[in-house]
């Protein structure tokens, strides 16, 4: 598995991790984890990109995330196969997780519109602004749905994000990043 760092895919240069295909119990492949320096680069790149991403309009971010939802739908089987290979879940359950990832996008857009809309009639106002960088630690048991549930609202709100998946589920995380980049 490669890392997406500073706008390009690059192999990890850290510890070698050997994975077993959880659905078959057979060895599947090895990859190298990120080094401390590569993790620092990921964080610094996201922090540097934060002001320009925050300056994009909500409409633009919404359009990109809806495109991401379309890509998730188009790649549902591929995503489910990655989840199954990473976690050993039955394919039907992985397909359900992939579907939940799609649903999270409209739920987040609706919530953003409802919670961040102007409110009140007093001569005051509330302003919502991005906080900067979100670090998302992906779990083993729901490697698509749970990170997606934090990535989507963070990006929608104008924050940048770094996704650190479980070392056991890199295929799912790589596919998420690939689809976000396509969007």
């Amino acid at each position: 598995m490669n890392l997406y760092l500073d706008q390009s895919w690059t192999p990890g240069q850290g510890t070698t991790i050997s994975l077993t295909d959880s659905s078959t119990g057979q060895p599947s492949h090895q990859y190298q984890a990120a080094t401390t320096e590569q993790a620092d680069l990921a964080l610094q790149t996201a922090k540097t990109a934060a002001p320009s991403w925050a300056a994009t309009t909500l409409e633009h971010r919404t359009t990109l995330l809806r495109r991401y939802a379309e890509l998730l739908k188009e790649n549902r089987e591929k995503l489910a196969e990655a989840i199954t290979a990473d976690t050993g879940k039955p394919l039907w359950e992985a397909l359900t997780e992939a579907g939940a990832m799609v649903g999270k996008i409209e739920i987040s857009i609706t919530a953003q519109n409802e919670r961040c809309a102007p409110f009140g009639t007093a001569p005051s106002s509330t302003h919502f602004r991005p906080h900067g960088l979100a670090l998302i630690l992906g779990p083993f048991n729901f490697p698509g749905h749970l990170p997606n549930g934090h990535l989507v609202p963070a990006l929608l709100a104008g924050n940048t994000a770094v996704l650190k998946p479980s070392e056991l589920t890199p295929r799912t995380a790589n596919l998420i990043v690939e689809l976000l980049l396509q969007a």
Side-chain angles (χ1 to χ4, degrees):
M1 301 282 93
N2 286 322
L3 312 169
Y4 189 74
L5 297 173
D6 201 16
Q7 299 185 26
S8 65
W9 290 100
T10 185
Q13 298 171 349
T15 306
T16 299
I17 297 176
S18 298
L19 293 178
T20 300
D21 184 324
S22 296
S23 64
T24 65
Q26 299 299 311
S28 63
H29 65 280
Q30 293 184 330
Y31 72 96
Q32 287 183 268
T35 61
T36 300
E37 293 79 17
Q38 287 177 308
D40 287 344
L41 176 60
L43 293 168
Q44 188 55 51
T45 301
K47 285 170 77 173
T48 301
S52 63
W53 181 249
T56 63
T57 65
L58 177 60
E59 179 181 55
H60 178 70
R61 295 189 302 265
T62 298
T63 299
L64 290 175
L65 287 169
R66 283 189 171 133
R67 175 65 184 133
Y68 170 58
E70 291 171 12
L71 290 167
L72 285 171
K73 284 179 195 173
E74 291 169 15
N75 291 277
R76 184 172 175 244
E77 297 267 338
K78 185 177 178 181
L79 183 59
E81 289 168 4
I83 292 168
T84 293
D86 278 348
T87 65
K89 287 182 181 185
L91 186 58
W92 68 264
E93 187 176 346
L95 286 165
T96 300
E97 182 173 344
M101 292 173 67
V102 174
K104 178 62 178 175
I105 295 166
E106 277 308 314
I107 289 168
S108 296
I109 291 168
T110 299
Q112 172 83 14
N113 291 337
E114 289 173 357
R115 295 177 186 155
C116 297
F119 59 89
T121 57
S124 62
S125 62
T126 302
H127 299 275
F128 297 92
R129 61 182 172 78
H131 292 286
L133 168 64
L135 174 60
I136 297 159
L137 304 176
F140 167 80
N141 57 338
F142 288 94
H145 178 59
L146 291 179
N148 191 66
H150 296 284
L151 273 168
V152 170
L155 294 172
L156 184 61
N159 299 296
T160 55
V162 171
L163 170 59
K164 189 282 178 201
S166 164
E167 62 278 1
L168 301 175
T169 59
R171 291 171 273 222
T172 303
N174 272 34
L175 188 51
I176 290 169
V177 173
E178 287 174 16
L179 296 176
L180 282 167
L181 290 170
Q182 285 180 43

